[in-house]
Amino acid sequence: MSTPPWLWALLSLGAAMLTGCGDPLMVKPDEHDEIGEGYRVDPQIEWSRQQDRKLQIWTVDGPQLEQLRLYAGLEAGDSLLPTPRRSISKQAWEQRPTYHKGMRAHDVMELVATTLAQSGAIDVVVERLQPAEFGGQSGFRFDLRFKADIGVTYRGLATGMVTQTGRLHLILYTGAKPHYFDAYEAIIQRILSSIILL
Amino acid sequence: MIRGTTLGGVQDRHGFRAMNGTRWRRRYRLTRTLAMLMVPLGLAACVQVQPYLAKELPSATKPLRVLLMPPDVAAVELATAGVPLPRADWTALAQAGLVDAVADTLRKHGAEMIRYRRATGIVPYAEKHLEAIALHETVLQTILTYRYGAAQQRAALPTKQSGLDWTLGESVAPIRADYAADYALFLVYRQATSTVERALFAAISFVLFGFIHPTSQSVGFASLIDLNTGAVIWTNLLQGQSLDVNRPDGIRNRCERLLSGLPL
């Protein structure tokens, strides 16, 4: 019999669970939302938003069920992981996968896979890399899937582009394969079609 | 009256290691005694529930079939340093009490309880049901964080500010097909009871320093899932401390509290 650690946490410490990063905000439809200084999108529906330096995380039902990560203007040395709220060891900081100038679409796909695996995802598969428009410019897209340690299978899709100055814009959507990925996939496609580069 | 003499007498004359099959009962009584010491000192027994209901269910024209999923139960004994030691006897007692309470509660609601058939002695769930089970646990964590968490955590998801609006979607279809049930009831229950030494330490630290170390705690979570839609219909969180944590009537009382408000 497995013992969910979250219940023990509740039992001994009270509710002490993650709240994500930054202050939560509501994103509303028809309000073109600017992602950093990189691009803006039409959210289509209401989302809960958490914001980090170059990253926004949007979700409706909770980040463990589905989440849309919008990265803008990542530079060499930037990670896809949110800024840690607590100090981490120098070794952990140095070992986190980072974006490097000169990375191509295939390298970015590998960066996403490595970042997911280092975050605890199991059996990460990235596939079907293909050219795709990103805000009217030449970019790429690929699909992904992985498992969480709790046993849920997730599906995902990613689209992005590298700017002329070598910065990376990336949008990553992941959701639990049962129900949640499919529930918002059509909306995500409309959001991707609404990208306007700044 | 019992305070010093009973505790001191039992330990001095017999010692715990010399006790036979009734050892745990004595230990329970001693723990309770120590815990009772704390009541006049301001630590009153308290069990609270916090239910959420997505929607009232329509009146049923025939008895509802409710599938009781294998209850996830564990009881531990907390040593002085707070290290949890698994107790199979208390776990079995809590498990039995939980199932009895569910059967009685459903009977009162005119519903029929169906037991989930464990896949094996070790793995409770059939392979084809694992997707729904895993998703349920993920949804449960989300609900615990954003519905039952602290105010800051609840505010972190403004799209779900009130009510209970989560679903397992179509993942429940294989369970519905196999059991022809209307609803599935998931139960998780944990309880931790202090050893006599820890309870004594708690009493002393309270007297000397004013620190309160809870000596017996329970936490339970129940969720009712509509097997036709996958929607989470109702959840209830029970948490608190009580002195009868390992007595059958105490367990039953807490199970009934956990199931109070079941919308059937």
Side-chain angles (χ1 to χ4, degrees):
Chain A
M1 178 172 53
S2 68
T3 301
W6 46 268
L7 258 178
W8 289 121
L10 259 181
L11 190 64
S12 56
L13 302 172
M17 309 185 89
L18 62 97
T19 50
C21 49
D23 295 326
L25 291 167
M26 180 79 96
V27 178
K28 300 199 170 173
D30 300 324
E31 293 176 2
H32 271 72
D33 210 64
E34 293 191 358
I35 313 301
E37 296 174 352
Y39 55 93
R40 60 184 181 188
V41 295
D42 181 345
Q44 306 289 327
I45 59 169
E46 289 188 344
W47 299 85
S48 298
R49 177 174 69 182
Q50 293 166 346
Q51 191 157 353
D52 199 20
R53 211 164 47 95
K54 295 177 180 176
L55 161 66
Q56 290 191 18
I57 301 176
W58 296 4
T59 182
V60 175
D61 302 292
Q64 286 178 300
L65 298 171
E66 88 282 318
Q67 60 170 279
L68 180 65
R69 290 184 170 227
L70 303 113
Y71 298 89
L74 293 182
E75 297 172 282
D78 285 341
S79 165
L80 298 182
L81 298 169
T83 309
R85 298 193 114 191
R86 295 175 189 157
S87 60
I88 59 172
S89 70
K90 189 183 175 190
Q91 187 186 12
W93 179 258
E94 286 171 352
Q95 281 181 350
R96 76 209 160 102
T98 54
Y99 172 68
H100 299 291
K101 202 166 182 178
M103 275 187 163
R104 298 180 177 183
H106 182 269
D107 302 314
V108 173
M109 189 169 78
E110 288 302 315
L111 173 66
V112 169
T114 313
T115 304
L116 282 169
Q118 206 174 79
S119 305
I122 302 164
D123 299 337
V124 181
V125 175
V126 283
E127 59 189 0
R128 288 204 280 274
L129 176 65
Q130 55 192 295
E133 278 200 354
F134 189 99
Q137 298 286 313
S138 169
F140 56 86
R141 103 160 245 171
F142 57 88
D143 296 337
L144 58 134
R145 62 177 191 273
F146 58 91
K147 265 188 165 180
D149 56 357
I150 216 170
V152 174
T153 302
Y154 288 83
R155 285 183 61 197
L157 60 88
T159 185
M161 68 169 288
V162 178
T163 68
Q164 287 182 337
T165 55
R167 293 188 173 204
L168 172 67
H169 298 328
L170 182 68
I171 298 178
L172 182 61
Y173 170 62
T174 55
K177 182 169 163 277
H179 184 73
Y180 288 92
F181 178 86
D182 290 342
Y184 299 98
E185 190 185 8
I187 292 164
I188 298 298
Q189 297 295 358
R190 292 205 296 274
I191 290 175
L192 299 183
S193 301
S194 75
I195 298 170
I196 299 170
L197 291 170
L198 297 175
Chain B
M1 60 186 173
I2 331 176
R3 289 182 279 211
T5 53
T6 304
L7 173 64
V10 169
Q11 278 184 314
D12 289 343
R13 288 201 303 274
H14 309 291
F16 290 124
R17 293 188 190 284
M19 292 181 186
N20 51 24
T22 59
R23 176 179 144 191
W24 72 268
R25 291 194 197 92
R26 290 187 180 179
R27 179 165 286 202
Y28 161 72
R29 278 200 297 271
L30 291 170
T31 307
R32 181 185 61 175
T33 306
L34 284 169
M36 283 176 70
L37 273 174
M38 303 180 78
V39 176
L41 300 174
L43 188 65
C46 175
V47 174
Q48 294 178 327
V49 291
Q50 195 179 352
Y52 282 101
L53 178 65
K55 60 174 184 181
E56 293 290 346
L57 301 182
S59 308
T61 52
K62 59 184 174 79
L64 293 171
R65 289 167 59 84
V66 178
L67 177 65
L68 174 63
M69 305 305 284
D72 181 359
V73 179
V76 298
E77 195 168 28
L78 292 174
T80 310
V83 179
L85 310 167
R87 287 290 300 254
D89 50 351
W90 291 350
T91 299
L93 199 64
Q95 178 108 13
L98 208 56
V99 173
D100 286 349
V102 171
D104 285 354
T105 304
L106 293 180
R107 204 175 300 121
K108 283 177 197 162
H109 284 90
E112 179 187 353
M113 182 176 86
I114 305 159
R115 295 289 300 273
Y116 186 92
R117 297 181 294 274
R118 291 180 71 94
T120 68
I122 300 168
V123 182
Y125 300 110
E127 181 81 28
K128 57 185 169 179
H129 300 158
L130 287 178
E131 186 178 67
I133 302 302
L135 183 60
H136 174 262
E137 191 158 329
T138 308
V139 168
L140 203 70
Q141 290 189 14
T142 299
I143 291 173
L144 280 167
T145 304
Y146 297 106
R147 190 54 68 244
Y148 290 97
Q152 188 193 355
Q153 290 163 333
R154 293 199 302 273
L157 199 64
T159 40
K160 301 277 181 181
Q161 274 298 290
S162 60
L164 193 66
D165 181 20
W166 280 275
T167 183
L168 305 189
E170 59 284 7
S171 70
V172 297
I175 299 177
R176 180 180 67 239
D178 285 355
Y179 288 93
D182 302 292
Y183 298 95
L185 181 63
F186 288 82
L187 297 170
V188 184
Y189 184 76
R190 297 284 181 274
Q191 70 183 35
T193 308
S194 294
T195 57
V196 175
E197 295 83 357
R198 181 176 162 84
L200 183 62
F201 171 74
I204 291 170
S205 68
F206 180 77
V207 170
L208 295 180
F209 309 111
F211 296 146
I212 295 176
H213 297 270
T215 54
S216 59
Q217 295 168 282
S218 309
V219 59
F221 192 86
S223 58
L224 187 71
I225 310 298
D226 185 337
L227 289 179
N228 287 304
T229 64
V232 180
I233 297 295
W234 168 87
T235 61
N236 197 8
L237 176 69
L238 172 144
Q239 50 188 337
Q241 48 189 312
S242 57
L243 306 179
D244 54 358
V245 72
N246 291 314
R247 266 178 36 193
D249 55 339
I251 289 167
R252 189 177 182 81
N253 174 269
R254 274 185 305 287
C255 294
E256 286 172 355
R257 291 287 304 278
L258 180 60
L259 296 169
S260 59
L262 194 66
L264 294 174

